[in-house]
Amino acid sequence: MLVLPMAVVGAERDARLTYTAADEGCRDQLGPAAGRGPEERRRSFLCLARGTTFAADAMFPENLADQRILAYGGQLCALPGDRERQALYERAGGTADVIELVAALDYLCPGIVARQTADARRRQAEHDRQEAAWKAEANARCADPWPGARARRQGTAAYLLFEGGGYAVFDDRDDGVGGPGGVDGESADIFAAIEDGFIDAAGSSAAIVTDEENAAMCLTVKAFGSAPPLRLAGWDQVVEVGIASRSGRLVVPTYPEGGDSGAAGPLPDLAVAGPGHYRLRVHARTRPWDENDPDAPLEEHLLVVYPGRSTAKVVHRSPG
């Protein structure tokens, strides 16, 4: 139960309670809170408080007197953050969202919007700092597994896997039939890749299954101008498929652009020869657990891409 200060309750008992009628026209006359006197700011606050929200509900219940709404407004201004302010507001029967409420309160306590904006910027900056630190730490645990082969474009990054695992390589500018990566109605299907046990490729996309999920793996990509030597030693699986690019791009999504998964660092466009057909050679292996670094990724993939017209799937190495 909300307990109002005794001074406010006493003042309400002694004063004649007023109930300002909602007047949508008063909103047209509202200006910035800065430079307004206390009484004008209170009237402006009541104009919004008696009006309707974006959801067409009253900002405050109609049976609350003006004095009670103003008392709630004073208490809301004194609270430190959105969570506490929203909890009190809901107990008062209010239905506006945080943005609407703060916009109204800015007339009672000028500067609250500026403080909210500054707080939001600080929170976002701290979030960005923590995410950058996580990405740097995750990327530092991954290294190029084929450093002797210098490709025209290459990169290594930690790749955050979501529930179920798996990732894709696709033409992110191809919006043909079948959606992104679709060519002539075809696009890769992660469920077909699961049924295959490793990979599915169709149109300008490929879906690859991973052993890990809800964790990071290490991913290296290398794009060559022609077929590089076949590298099998040390890999559990090596499978090659055909993939097309109509726009001249083949990419792996970057976190968080890929939703809840993606590479923790930028990886290059793999279509080095522009629009056309390519071969995609996918290497996968499980790395031994390191007791000195228990958070190190346990799975590692290497993607090799080069121009080639064949669409045939070739299994160079399979588990077991």
Side-chain angles (χ1 to χ4, degrees), residues 168-173 180-181 204-206 243-244 249-253 269:
V169 182
F170 59 97
D171 183 340
D172 62 342
R173 294 180 182 171
S204 56
S205 60
I243 188 171
R249 283 177 58 84
L250 287 173
V251 300
V252 174
D269 170 17

Side-chain angles (χ1 to χ4, degrees), residues 127-128 131 134-135 159-160 253-265:
H127 174 271
D128 292 344
E131 183 173 288
W134 168 81
K135 288 181 177 180
Y159 191 99
L160 182 64
T254 300
Y255 179 85
E257 294 174 6
D260 294 306
S261 63

Side-chain angles (χ1 to χ4, degrees), residues 184-203:
D184 298 329
E186 292 186 316
S187 61
D189 182 356
I190 188 62
F191 296 104
I194 292 172
E195 184 176 352
D196 172 80
F198 189 46
I199 190 170
D200 179 57

Side-chain angles (χ1 to χ4, degrees), residues 138-145 156-158 211-212 216-220 234-236 284-290 293 295-301:
N139 288 332
R141 290 189 167 101
C142 297
D144 184 349
T156 298
D211 290 332
E212 295 292 310
M217 74 169 186
C218 289
L219 177 64
T220 294
W235 295 99
D236 301 328
R285 66 185 174 192
T286 299
R287 307 197 307 182
W289 182 73
D290 184 355
D293 188 6
D295 295 326
L298 298 179
E299 188 168 359
E300 183 174 28
H301 284 215

Side-chain angles (χ1 to χ4, degrees), residues 8 14 20 44 51 56 69 80-81 100 114 118 138 173 193 217 220 223 233 248 319:
V8 173
D14 297 337
T20 303
S44 298
I69 291 177
E100 293 175 290
R173 294 180 182 171
M217 74 169 186
T220 294

Side-chain angles (χ1 to χ4, degrees), residues 273-295:
H277 295 268
Y278 292 85
R279 297 294 288 169
L280 170 63
R281 190 182 299 166
V282 184
H283 308 65
R285 66 185 174 192
T286 299
R287 307 197 307 182
W289 182 73
D290 184 355
E291 61 179 8
N292 296 317
D293 188 6
D295 295 326

Side-chain angles (χ1 to χ4, degrees), residues 44-320:
S44 298
F45 172 71
L46 283 174
C47 168
L48 294 174
R50 288 300 189 190
T52 57
T53 67
F54 293 139
D57 297 320
M59 184 172 283
F60 280 90
E62 294 181 358
N63 62 353
L64 279 182
D66 293 342
Q67 291 85 344
R68 181 61 70 106
I69 291 177
L70 287 167
Y72 274 126
Q75 288 184 304
L76 289 166
C77 284
L79 292 174
D82 283 342
R83 183 175 299 177
E84 298 87 350
R85 197 174 290 117
Q86 190 68 21
L88 173 58
Y89 176 62
E90 290 176 358
R91 290 201 297 272
T95 58
D97 63 22
V98 171
I99 296 176
E100 293 175 290
L101 177 61
V102 169
L105 289 175
D106 199 44
Y107 288 98
L108 279 188
C109 36
I112 188 172
V113 171
R115 291 194 299 275
Q116 291 288 93
T117 301
D119 289 343
R121 287 175 178 169
R122 282 194 293 270
R123 289 193 297 269
Q124 185 61 48
E126 176 60 19
H127 174 271
D128 292 344
R129 186 195 66 77
Q130 292 178 354
E131 183 173 288
W134 168 81
K135 288 181 177 180
E137 182 179 353
N139 288 332
R141 290 189 167 101
C142 297
D144 184 349
W146 198 8
R150 296 299 300 174
R152 288 176 58 180
R153 297 174 188 168
Q154 62 183 48
T156 298
Y159 191 99
L160 182 64
L161 298 164
F162 188 50
E163 184 175 354
Y167 64 99
V169 182
F170 59 97
D171 183 340
D172 62 342
R173 294 180 182 171
D174 184 357
D175 294 323
V177 179
V183 174
D184 298 329
E186 292 186 316
S187 61
D189 182 356
I190 188 62
F191 296 104
I194 292 172
E195 184 176 352
D196 172 80
F198 189 46
I199 190 170
D200 179 57
S204 56
S205 60
I208 298 105
V209 173
T210 60
D211 290 332
E212 295 292 310
E213 62 177 327
N214 294 319
M217 74 169 186
C218 289
L219 177 64
T220 294
V221 299
K222 289 178 178 280
F224 296 87
S226 59
L230 181 62
R231 184 179 176 86
L232 300 179
W235 295 99
D236 301 328
Q237 291 190 86
V238 181
V239 178
E240 191 167 324
V241 294
I243 188 171
S245 173
R246 293 200 294 191
S247 79
R249 283 177 58 84
L250 287 173
V251 300
V252 174
T254 300
Y255 179 85
E257 294 174 6
D260 294 306
S261 63
L267 295 174
D269 170 17
L270 301 174
V272 293
H277 295 268
Y278 292 85
R279 297 294 288 169
L280 170 63
R281 190 182 299 166
V282 184
H283 308 65
R285 66 185 174 192
T286 299
R287 307 197 307 182
W289 182 73
D290 184 355
E291 61 179 8
N292 296 317
D293 188 6
D295 295 326
L298 298 179
E299 188 168 359
E300 183 174 28
H301 284 215
L302 166 64
L303 303 183
V304 169
V305 177
Y306 63 92
R309 296 198 59 83
S310 174
T311 60
K313 175 183 175 182
V314 179
V315 178
H316 296 292
R317 172 166 287 183
S318 60

